[in-house]
Amino acid sequence: MSRRYLLALVLVAAAASPAPGHAARTLTYREILGQLTDLDRLTLSQEGVSCGIASSWDRREKESWGANGDAGQYERVDPNGEAVMMDQEGPGCIYRIWSANPQGKLRVYLDGATTPSFEWDFAGLFNGDVPPFIKPLTYRRAVGRSACDSYVPIPFAKHIKVVADRKHGQYYHLNYLLFPKDWTVPSFRLPLTAEEDAALGRAAAAWSAAGTDPKPAWPGQTKKAGKVTVEPGKSAELLSAAGAGAIRAIRMRVTTKERRPWRKLVLRGTWDGASWPQVLTPVGPFFGFDWEQPEY
């Protein structure tokens, strides 16, 4: 079965930027919202910053590799019946909340609070009508029991505890970053300030333009476009270039009768005389998706 690509590459010379060192800093919520559209930040490691996830993974996997009951698993159930999803010292920030079957109430306790700092209807949090959880930063893929995501950041200065009002058998992910102890991070507060609300709006507008190139053009950049046919078990060269430069954009369209071709086509890239590929990945994950074809 043949597989066809339409590929456009833009190659521009660029100088490498050094990664910033660890230094005490104050991170405002407006800056955190700005991170949602800061593509340059993606290429820089942040010394002293670590990532983590709290999820409903089946804890039996510690003893049994085949355990697969990844729903309704919590860190613990408190005496008041609340099912604890996350209990984490700060400073830090939750950048993503996901559930395949959100139910009941979602409660957030900040910085040692004994009563909920916030309480939301878990399923309603993804409808886009609960500020600041607006579309497309939060969304539901379909009505009913289906995958839901929110990318509205929830920072915490000292500590955060996220709970369900009781055990609901939910699937959930809470993806977060932890910052160095000498960083000052404001805990999530509502309502947002005018500046924060404007930053939220800019992020939502940028995310609403998925598929468009957000970068300004550089002087002297060039583009290569064309079509190639890749036979089963074979490869086709997309670009070969000499000298210093940077690939600033890759666009690819696949025409094939194959099912989920983005899992079967592998993108490989090697530069500067290396004996191994610096890029070696199925096409889908390279572009940020895998199971389903993206909307953009």
Side-chain angles (χ1 to χ4, degrees):
M1 185 74 67
S2 65
R3 303 158 188 172
R4 293 186 178 273
Y5 301 78
L6 177 60
L7 177 79
L9 298 175
V10 181
L11 185 67
V12 183
S17 299
H22 171 206
R25 59 172 299 189
T26 297
L27 188 62
T28 68
Y29 191 55
R30 182 170 57 84
E31 290 174 309
I32 291 173
L33 290 169
Q35 293 173 351
L36 299 179
T37 56
D38 185 357
L39 298 179
D40 291 333
R41 176 175 168 269
L42 295 178
T43 66
L44 302 176
S45 63
Q46 299 184 84
E47 186 175 342
V49 178
S50 60
C51 63
I53 181 172
S55 78
S56 57
W57 67 280
D58 192 336
R59 272 64 172 173
R60 296 175 303 169
E61 289 181 2
K62 295 178 181 179
E63 289 78 33
S64 174
W65 180 256
N68 193 33
D70 295 324
Q73 309 289 343
Y74 303 93
E75 288 197 13
R76 65 179 186 274
V77 177
D78 283 344
N80 63 359
E82 292 179 336
V84 179
M85 299 175 172
M86 177 179 176
D87 192 347
Q88 180 63 56
E89 296 293 328
C93 183
I94 295 175
Y95 283 89
R96 173 179 177 257
I97 300 175
W98 168 90
S99 180
N101 60 338
Q103 304 170 59
K105 301 294 183 180
L106 186 73
R107 295 171 180 162
V108 176
Y109 295 80
L110 290 170
D111 304 330
T114 56
T115 58
S117 305
F118 298 97
E119 179 181 283
W120 297 291
D121 176 74
F122 197 10
L125 200 64
F126 305 100
N127 292 334
D129 54 8
V130 180
F133 299 91
I134 60 175
K135 296 180 179 179
L137 303 181
T138 185
Y139 67 93
R140 181 191 302 272
R141 293 191 183 182
V143 177
R145 294 166 63 89
S146 57
C148 303
D149 286 273
S150 171
Y151 291 91
V152 176
I154 301 178
F156 50 99
K158 299 178 180 179
H159 180 269
I160 193 169
K161 183 171 73 170
V162 182
V163 307
D165 57 331
R166 60 181 178 84
K167 294 183 68 174
H168 289 284
Q170 299 138 320
Y171 293 89
Y172 66 88
H173 292 168
L174 301 171
N175 299 85
Y176 60 89
L177 290 183
L178 295 178
F179 305 120
K181 292 295 184 181
D182 56 0
W183 283 26
T184 300
V185 179
S187 289
F188 187 67
R189 292 289 183 267
L190 291 177
L192 301 184
T193 67
E195 287 186 342
E196 292 168 346
D197 196 56
L200 180 74
R202 288 192 293 270
W207 284 37
S208 296
T212 60
D213 193 339
K215 305 185 303 300
W218 282 2
Q221 68 182 27
T222 60
K223 178 185 296 185
K224 178 183 177 181
K227 295 181 180 181
V228 295
T229 299
V230 182
E231 301 294 340
K234 304 296 183 180
S235 62
E237 185 176 276
L238 305 177
L239 175 70
S240 179
I247 296 174
R248 301 199 71 216
I250 299 177
R251 295 180 182 271
M252 182 181 296
R253 186 182 303 277
V254 180
T255 302
T256 181
K257 294 181 180 179
E258 288 278 335
R259 186 169 181 261
R260 295 194 174 94
W262 47 87
R263 304 184 109 196
K264 302 173 182 178
L265 292 167
V266 175
L267 188 65
R268 182 173 66 241
T270 304
W271 48 82
D272 297 341
S275 59
W276 69 93
Q278 282 74 46
V279 175
L280 184 63
T281 174
V283 167
F286 179 82
F287 285 98
F289 71 99
D290 186 22
W291 185 251
E292 297 178 358
Q293 191 169 4
E295 297 177 359
Y296 52 86

